[in-house]
Amino acid sequence: MQSSKLRILTITSLAHFINDGTFLLYPLLIVYYSTVLKVSIVFLGTFAVVYTLLSGLLSPLIGNYADTHNLDAELLFSGILLEAISIIIFALPFTLPSFSYFLIAIATIILGAGQAFYHPIGGAVLSRVFGKSSGGALGLNGAFGSIGRSVTPSIVTALILLTGYFLGLTWIALYMIVASLVILFGLRFHRKERMEQVRKVNEKLDRKFYKFLIILGIAVFVRSMFITGTTNFLGDFVYDVYHSKTLAGIFLTVGFLGSIVGQPFFGKVTEWKGGFFSYTLTSVISLVTFGLYLALAHNLILSSVIYTILTFAAFTSFPVLLGYVSQVFPKSFFTVANSYIWGIGVTVGGSAGTALITLLLDMHYSLFFSFIIMLVLSAISTAMIPLIPRKRM
């Protein structure tokens, strides 16, 4: 591997590690806010919807801007920095409890804005640089995102136990600020190799790509309702089962270990067998394992193993979907196409799933019943797969 490619893969992997480390932060904080500060679970669920919805809606705008400008390093830096700022604000309710609702609302909005940057831009950078072998690069890069997502809940839990709520979160924010600067200066050498990869503002996408984008986007939207909706309330679900905040944090870490292996594995599958095959396989595995998890939720060992298998397949959207996009779309549209599939399909779909669970909780249905509804959505999204265009465009 050329040194420049290795450097790009290293820096973007660091960015992915940091970015996805925030993915389970708010679901974990829901447990602390609701039990320690007695913040309404419906309020917390509502703002889980707000920040994911904002992230998804901003993503196409940022993706379009990235495709028409040569500022990938600066944009990645901006996203990570916004996430760090949000974590500082997330820490403040523990010292200013009377302002909890206001501070949580502001923090979630900033977090949502920050999370709109990495996936479409990072995926496009790797797809352009690695070309036909981008599936493996996306998978390896995604593994670092999964490591960040997996270890962060336990790191946050440990820091809170050792230094308290406010300082524990502040240490996380400070390390993210340092990392954002490393990303900025480490990736500034990278510019799109050829100017034709910087899209002209008035250049339009051929209409033949829209059918693919719309059908795949809808299928991904429904699947993400299931995945993100259940993930945002998983910590609370585990707490309801075992009545331990510490165990909830550990379960989130152990459960998401599967995605560390799943990302590079399914990245290679996408590279070898194509995006349609890998998307189908991961959807079927996710459906079956979540049904088993609900059936065995009170068995700690079995449920942990099954949920790890679920994350092995379900949390592979980065290499599978963005690898799929790179097999279909022109290079000058990689970022904006990524942003629609990721931002609208994955993120806004996830927001809709979280909104549905929040509504069900507000109607006094249990989390278990809400998760059954999510299982039905998983079955629907899997049944939609044959509608996705399979021919290379």
Side-chain angles (χ1 to χ4, degrees), residues 8-293:
I8 289 168
L9 180 59
T10 301
I11 297 298
T12 56
S13 295
L14 171 64
H16 207 165
F17 177 90
I18 302 296
N19 181 83
D20 280 23
T22 66
F23 184 75
L24 292 176
L25 178 68
Y26 188 68
L28 179 62
L29 288 177
I30 284 177
V31 178
Y32 288 99
Y33 288 145
S34 62
T35 59
V36 177
L37 299 179
K38 307 301 180 184
V39 176
S40 163
I41 189 68
V42 174
F43 171 85
L44 294 170
T46 298
F47 274 89
V49 175
V50 169
Y51 90 82
T52 51
L53 184 61
L54 179 63
S55 174
L57 294 177
L58 284 177
S59 190
L61 299 176
I62 294 167
N64 187 63
Y65 183 85
D67 270 342
T68 53
H69 294 78
N70 221 342
L71 298 170
D72 291 337
E74 291 81 358
L75 291 170
L76 290 175
F77 159 77
S78 299
I80 301 297
L81 183 62
L82 284 172
E83 290 171 347
I85 293 170
S86 75
I87 293 174
I88 293 173
I89 301 174
F90 274 130
L92 292 176
F94 295 105
T95 59
L96 300 168
S98 59
F99 294 95
S100 293
Y101 284 81
F102 173 75
L103 291 168
I104 292 169
I106 295 299
T108 52
I109 289 170
I110 296 173
L111 178 63
Q115 287 185 340
F117 286 77
Y118 179 75
H119 289 101
I121 297 173
V125 167
L126 292 170
S127 294
R128 289 190 184 100
V129 170
F130 285 87
K132 293 181 180 180
S133 61
S134 63
L138 286 165
L140 183 59
N141 179 276
F144 281 91
S146 295
I147 293 170
R149 185 167 53 215
S150 179
V151 303
T152 297
S154 288
I155 292 173
V156 171
T157 300
L159 287 172
I160 285 175
L161 289 173
L162 291 171
T163 64
Y165 301 113
F166 178 78
L167 282 179
L169 290 170
T170 301
W171 280 116
I172 294 291
L174 290 175
Y175 115 86
M176 287 178 63
I177 291 171
V178 173
S180 71
L181 293 171
V182 172
I183 292 162
L184 174 63
F185 292 108
L187 201 60
R188 288 191 75 177
F189 79 97
H190 167 71
R191 291 293 183 250
K192 296 181 178 71
E193 298 115 305
R194 300 189 304 275
M195 286 308 293
E196 61 262 29
Q197 291 182 0
V198 180
R199 196 180 75 245
K200 295 177 181 178
V201 175
N202 60 353
E203 185 180 349
K204 303 297 182 182
L205 182 66
D206 193 302
R207 290 183 178 273
K208 67 182 180 180
F209 293 98
Y210 286 116
K211 181 180 179 181
F212 174 89
L213 199 62
I214 291 170
I215 297 176
L216 179 61
I218 292 171
V220 170
F221 187 99
V222 178
R223 172 172 135 150
S224 294
M225 287 183 69
F226 148 63
I227 293 175
T228 307
T230 55
T231 301
N232 272 326
F233 289 94
L234 180 63
D236 209 42
F237 182 78
V238 175
Y239 180 77
D240 283 349
V241 174
Y242 298 107
H243 307 292
S244 168
K245 293 187 286 292
T246 301
L247 188 57
I250 294 171
F251 186 93
L252 288 173
T253 289
V254 172
F256 278 84
L257 291 175
S259 61
I260 298 172
V261 181
Q263 295 254 29
F265 176 81
F266 284 106
K268 279 296 183 182
V269 171
T270 301
E271 188 178 314
W272 294 334
K273 302 288 289 183
F276 181 86
F277 177 86
S278 55
Y279 178 74
T280 302
L281 183 59
T282 55
S283 295
V284 171
I285 294 173
S286 301
L287 170 62
V288 172
T289 52
F290 190 69
L292 289 172
Y293 169 72

